[in-house]
Amino acid sequence: MTCFEPEALGNLIEGIEFHRFYFDGNRKNQVHTTMLNPNVHIIGEDAACVAYVKLTQFLDRNGEAHTRQSQESRVWSKKQGRWVCVHVHRSTQPSTNTTVSEF
């Protein structure tokens, strides 16, 4: 299943996980995150960058559902055989909507 709908903030949603947030019974204190359009750039053997759109669904203090969108990128470095995130960038749209920290 795919869909475009207001709650997806103009993004194409694939599958039903995004919708479960609205239809599952006990949503109190629930936050659901969806990663869209991940793009991975391998930079040699020891570095990589991933960029994606993140949708975060949450309930405000009144129990109303909201969706926030951010664009994120993360730079990873392989150190001593383990992948470590060494940089994160997140951009959001200015909004008067409730933030996740307010629920």
Side-chain angles (χ1 to χ4, degrees), residues 42-48 76-79 83:
I42 303 298
I43 307 165
E45 294 180 12
D46 297 335
W76 294 82
S77 177
K78 195 172 193 179
K79 296 183 179 188
W83 286 99

Side-chain angles (χ1 to χ4, degrees), residues 82-93:
R82 295 183 55 190
W83 286 99
V84 178
C85 185
V86 295
H87 179 77
V88 176
H89 174 85
R90 181 169 53 107
S91 298
T92 60
Q93 299 296 323

